[in-house]
Amino acid sequence: MSNSSNEAPASSRFANSWHEIDWEASYLKVRELQVRIAKAAKEKQWRKVKQLQRMLVGSYSAKAIAIKRVTENRGRKTAGVDGETWDTPASKWSAIGRMKRNGYKPKPLRRVYIPKSNGKRRPLGIPTMLDRAMQALYMLALEPVSEVHGDPNSYGFRPLRSTKDAIEQLFVNLSRGNSAEWVLEGDIEGCFDNISHEWLIHNVPMDRVVLRKWLKAGIMEQGKYFDTEAGTPQGGIISPLLANWALDGLEPILRERYGKIGSKLAGRSKVNYVRYADDFVITGISQDILDKEVRPLVEAFMAERGLKLSESKTVITNVHRGFDFLGQNLRKYGEKLLTKPSKKNLRNILAKIKSIFDRNKMAITANLIRQLNPVIRGWAYFHKAGTSKETFKYLDHRVWKMLWRWCCRRHPNKGKRWIARKYFTTIGKKNWVFYDSDLKEQSMTLFYASDVAIKRHIKIKADKCFYDPADELYFENRLDYKMKNSEFGLKKAYSLWKRQQRRCPCCNQLITSETGWNIHHVVERHRGGSDNMDNLQLLHPNCHRKIHLAV
């Protein structure tokens, strides 16, 4: 373990509180170590990997970044079994000194349940804040190794990879006239709950003592303690990375058996593999190859890790019948493969929109629009890379019917013409635009899914590594592409983001959809500041709080 005092010039020597930490120096130090870890892993120098990982987890900079991560994500207000949350700068600052390997003993996970779309409940295990921070710390050291040795066509829980990349890769595999016409839809039975602890401990390249403590920490449910004999519970920040590590390795096995993409052997079998988290699809030239050759191979691979395929949900399908994957339906019509939002995904978004109407029967118009817009916009941008225009129009039609019922319910004694004049207007060539007529200065209008232009997604290059300096420029451009083609790109924030060279002016680190962002007024509005671009900055949420605390 390296001496943390060596880190003092980077971030701690001149810091006496949380908001005095030099984040730019901290991120540079951690990034330098991660690049060295990735290089050593690529060269299979495992002793050096272990040494560099010890340096990283012992560094002051990495500990501060780990705490920053777990105190700024969505679950920051959810406590573990100890009821502790780090919601003040003082608590975050003191937590740095508590993050030590020696004497560290994780507390049991707090069991909570969240509803699933099929009516069942998904169990989550919530670690304490200290355990979350320790997991984030060791994750900084493990992720570079995982990126180097991960399956090329694995797209879940990896930097700048997304569901859209997985869908696009499937489109590449299935869209040609001579492409495979059969797919094996893989479903792992309770993946997170059943991964073998012993396999993880002996195969994940990280501190085995700490890993064993996490896996064997146990669960507290309704005041009772239960041992954990298998699995990496959903809710832990490092759980997706551990699951990825367990499932990585299947693609090289398939390539060894059936040949690399583009080879004659691969051309005869057309076996290709795409995975997102624990969902995967394998293509094949015939049903027999997938059923009699590929499936037994996959089952043997999973069995080594304590996993098995679901008998009912693992099916072999012809692309002309279509199949659902990650909220999309992929189906071949003649020689053309189309990707559309799946019927289940459409039902889910309509149910979510209906629940917003149900909760806001007496709300003012502006509040209803504020709640509907991000839901509709986010769903439309998620599906804009497919053949989704007709589905967008159908969604808008259903939303209009809900709006009309909402309006009529509020004004039972008014005529339809009066209701139409009050709540709907014409903008350009578009009629029946729902808006808030009470706002005099600036009208607030509803976002319509059909206004989103259909644009094919450009897939990330599978062989690029986020921690390879040679690919640095590629990922910089990739981040720009991702932000420009997201809902972020429609807002004033995108212009600020580009003007600031994609970085927060406070800490000089990249602003991404994962880090989050706030728009800051240099001269505050209550002091006469305007909303003009010259008076605005895009900041990380923590940097924004830091500036306001200093005022």
Side-chain angles (χ1 to χ4, degrees), residues 28-138:
L28 286 173
K29 181 65 178 178
V30 170
R31 176 71 180 180
E32 178 190 346
L33 285 171
Q34 287 179 317
V35 168
R36 292 174 65 189
I37 290 170
K39 182 181 178 183
K42 188 175 183 179
E43 297 170 353
K44 297 184 179 181
Q45 299 180 8
W46 299 112
R47 183 174 294 180
K48 188 174 183 180
V49 168
K50 192 173 182 180
Q51 178 188 9
L52 291 168
Q53 285 181 326
R54 283 199 302 267
M55 290 175 60
L56 193 149
V57 299
S59 73
Y60 181 94
S61 299
K63 292 176 181 178
I65 289 171
I67 293 171
K68 188 173 188 286
R69 178 169 183 173
V70 300
T71 55
E72 293 183 9
N73 61 17
R74 291 182 180 179
R76 63 186 180 275
K77 296 181 180 179
T78 305
V81 293
D82 59 358
E84 183 181 6
T85 57
W86 298 340
D87 51 4
T88 65
S91 60
K92 298 173 190 178
W93 177 251
S94 64
I96 297 176
R98 297 169 57 188
M99 296 179 66
K100 299 177 181 178
R101 180 184 184 276
N102 293 337
Y104 169 64
K105 184 177 180 181
K107 289 182 169 61
L109 306 171
R110 181 168 71 90
R111 173 71 83 200
V112 298
Y113 293 90
I114 58 173
K116 296 172 67 175
S117 58
N118 59 5
K120 296 181 180 180
R121 298 191 303 165
R122 174 179 283 113
L124 295 182
I126 309 299
T128 64
M129 291 300 297
L130 178 60
D131 294 336
R132 267 178 264 178
M134 290 292 284
Q135 289 185 16
L137 176 63
Y138 279 86

Side-chain angles (χ1 to χ4, degrees), residues 332-372:
K332 214 163 191 177
Y333 298 84
E335 295 297 317
K336 182 170 284 190
L337 181 76
L338 300 182
T339 59
K340 303 178 181 179
S342 67
K343 291 181 179 179
K344 180 181 177 182
N345 192 272
L346 180 60
R347 285 196 302 269
N348 289 343
I349 188 64
L350 286 171
K352 188 172 184 178
I353 291 171
K354 184 178 182 300
S355 70
I356 293 175
F357 279 99
D358 291 341
R359 293 195 307 268
N360 292 275
K361 290 177 179 178
M362 301 306 295
I364 63 174
T365 307
N367 283 348
L368 178 66
I369 293 175
R370 286 191 189 102
Q371 293 184 54
L372 287 174

